[in-house]
Amino acid sequence: MLTGFKNFIMKGNVVDLAVAVVMGAAFGAVVTSIVEGLLTPLIGRLFNAKGIAEMQWEGFMYGSVIASIISFVLVAAAIYFVVIVPMNHMIERRNRRLGIDPETKADSAEDPQIALLTEIRDALQSQAR
């Protein structure tokens, strides 16, 4: 049971999905601060809207935008160095232990359908000549 759970967690698509969710949340903060800190005040100035409580005539609220962008970059770096790099090293070690070489594996294990299509293409080209 625990081995099955470990295999499930170690699959690349599970990690990719988790990374995407965290990155999406961080990027959502960037977009929200851009909208609330820059676009909303700009629209308020253009239309003289007084219903937006945090609008200021003196300047845009760009500090929250910068903070969100820094937060996004830091979250992305943390995910990369804490999750992605160790996961890639683990996969490399496992592949070495199992004797899998990713470069030769791609060359030696050609898809039989692609091989057949290549033969058909070559035969059609030779008939056309």
Side-chain angles (χ1 to χ4, degrees):
M1 184 191 243
L2 290 176
T3 303
F5 180 71
K6 177 185 156 199
N7 291 339
F8 170 73
I9 293 298
M10 297 301 288
K11 285 185 181 177
N13 55 359
V14 173
V15 174
D16 291 342
L17 179 61
V19 168
V21 168
V22 172
M23 294 292 289
F27 189 70
V30 171
V31 172
T32 299
S33 67
I34 289 172
V35 169
E36 291 177 356
L38 296 176
L39 298 178
T40 301
L42 179 62
I43 292 170
R45 284 190 191 180
L46 291 175
F47 296 106
N48 272 339
K50 296 183 181 184
I52 301 173
E54 295 184 10
M55 280 191 346
Q56 298 176 3
W57 177 252
E58 292 82 23
F60 295 109
M61 296 176 286
Y62 59 88
S64 64
V65 174
I66 293 171
S68 293
I69 291 171
I70 290 171
S71 174
F72 175 75
V73 170
L74 291 175
V75 167
I79 288 173
Y80 179 75
F81 290 111
V82 173
V83 176
I84 301 301
V85 170
M87 187 76 161
N88 287 340
H89 286 297
M90 247 182 351
I91 290 171
E92 284 178 27
R93 272 190 281 140
R94 182 196 58 170
N95 288 346
R96 276 195 308 264
R97 187 182 75 234
L98 295 175
I100 299 171
D101 185 14
E103 294 172 5
T104 58
K105 180 182 175 189
D107 295 338
S108 65
E110 184 179 4
D111 187 3
Q113 292 178 345
I114 292 176
L116 178 63
L117 289 172
T118 304
E119 289 176 23
I120 293 171
R121 181 200 63 203
D122 294 342
L124 289 173
Q125 285 177 344
S126 66
Q127 285 178 355
R129 295 181 196 161

